[in-house]
Amino acid sequence: MKVMLIAHTPQPERVVAAAAKLCYSNAHVDDLLEGLTPEKSREFLARLADMGHESPTEHASFTFAIEGVSRSLLAQITRHRIASYSVQSQRYVRLDAFEYVTPPEVAADDAAKAAFDAQMAGQAQQYEEIAALLKDGHIRRLMQQGMDEKQAVRKAEKLAIEDARFILPNACSTKMIVTMNARSLNNFFRHRCCRRAQWEIRALADEMLRLVLGVAPALFARSGPPCVAGACPEGAMSCGHAAEVREKYSAMRKEGGTPCRED
């Protein structure tokens, strides 16, 4: 997995503080930023957090480039609907000998990993075989319809991989660009930093949180799973390790975004 923060709202904490200032004062737009030092901005953000007033945080957005994650993760992250996604297309990008994500529990078991790798190799071979068969059929059909060979080959390739992709597994890796505002990110962190989230999307959420802490630490000072700021809401489904989780995210914030690894 590789994650990069490639863009964000300039001075995100000051922008959010300006929005908050407008809500609670008679400031005019021409002097809205006056006096909003980094320290004053952090005070506004802390006050917003205390009040639970989240809407001003929607004015700061963050864009991530992500690769080396599975299509299984893609299905999960796109459930967070207040976001923008651009994903590598399996319709237009041929994936011969595709890369794939191996779950840690599989990687830790030699026999399971051997079987897993064999399955991935087999599906890659089947993908290539089906794509080749479909392409040949499309070329013949298109040329019979009067299309010249060069154009037929180009169109047949796209049509073939469009259908061959149905055999690709959830483990198949993908790449994406994701943009979320700070409010949506905090919602994402609440759900996906939790130990009950799947290991892969939890690792992604942790890395995204680490990156935004590096540029807007006050804006994400209370970010993480729900147990970081209060009691665990999972009831009987709780992981039972709230103290360890709080320590982990406290250390991440104190280290200014340096990743804190789980045991």
Side-chain angles (χ1 to χ4, degrees):
M1 180 187 297
K2 184 175 183 179
V3 188
M4 297 175 61
L5 179 61
I6 61 173
H8 60 81
T9 300
Q11 297 183 294
E13 295 180 345
R14 193 178 187 215
V15 169
V16 173
K21 182 179 179 181
L22 185 66
C23 290
Y24 296 106
S25 75
N26 62 355
H28 297 286
V29 293
D30 53 356
D31 60 4
L32 192 60
L33 296 175
E34 185 178 338
L36 280 183
T37 62
E39 294 75 16
K40 195 66 176 179
S41 295
R42 286 194 290 270
E43 289 178 15
F44 268 108
L45 296 182
R47 201 174 310 159
L48 285 177
D50 289 339
M51 293 187 297
H53 188 185
E54 297 180 340
S55 62
T57 65
E58 295 176 18
H59 295 290
S61 64
F62 301 80
T63 299
F64 305 85
I66 302 166
E67 70 177 25
V69 295
S70 70
R71 299 288 293 196
S72 178
L73 181 145
L74 175 63
Q76 295 180 69
I77 194 172
T78 50
R79 291 173 185 166
H80 296 270
R81 293 181 293 277
I82 305 178
S84 298
Y85 302 96
S86 297
V87 183
Q88 184 184 61
S89 174
Q90 290 183 341
R91 293 182 66 198
Y92 294 95
V93 179
R94 192 178 181 99
L95 295 176
D96 292 337
F98 59 82
E99 295 180 351
Y100 55 89
V101 175
T102 303
E105 293 295 326
V106 173
D109 186 306
D110 290 342
K113 186 175 186 306
F116 188 86
D117 289 341
Q119 284 293 321
M120 294 299 105
Q123 287 185 260
Q125 182 178 353
Q126 291 165 3
Y127 170 82
E128 293 176 23
E129 291 174 355
I130 292 170
L133 290 169
L134 290 172
K135 184 176 180 179
D136 288 344
H138 287 312
I139 291 172
R140 289 193 299 270
R141 176 178 58 81
L142 292 169
M143 291 183 67
Q144 287 171 0
Q145 293 173 355
M147 189 175 290
D148 68 80
E149 183 176 3
K150 184 176 181 180
Q151 187 178 2
V153 169
R154 184 166 57 248
K155 185 171 183 178
E157 167 74 6
K158 187 263 180 184
L159 292 172
I161 64 174
E162 182 176 57
D163 288 335
R165 66 182 171 143
F166 278 77
I167 202 170
L168 294 171
N170 275 338
C172 186
S173 67
T174 191
K175 305 170 186 176
M176 68 186 84
I177 300 291
V178 178
T179 300
M180 294 186 186
N181 65 48
R183 187 178 191 178
S184 291
L185 270 174
N186 273 315
N187 176 267
F188 175 71
F189 295 144
R190 279 194 291 272
H191 288 281
R192 304 302 184 172
C193 290
C194 175
R195 280 197 174 191
R196 294 199 62 233
Q198 189 187 28
W199 63 270
E200 187 182 19
I201 199 166
R202 187 170 70 247
L204 174 62
D206 280 352
E207 183 62 11
M208 290 168 66
L209 176 52
R210 183 188 72 82
L211 290 170
V212 296
L213 280 171
V215 296
L219 192 52
F220 297 97
R222 305 184 191 187
S223 298
C227 63
V228 166
C232 174
E234 298 292 334
M237 301 296 288
S238 173
C239 72
H241 298 280
E244 295 174 34
V245 173
R246 293 186 190 109
E247 183 178 350
K248 169 186 172 179
Y249 289 96
S250 176
M252 187 185 288
R253 290 191 294 272
K254 288 177 181 177
E255 293 169 15
T258 301
C260 181
R261 305 300 181 191
E262 289 188 5
D263 294 336

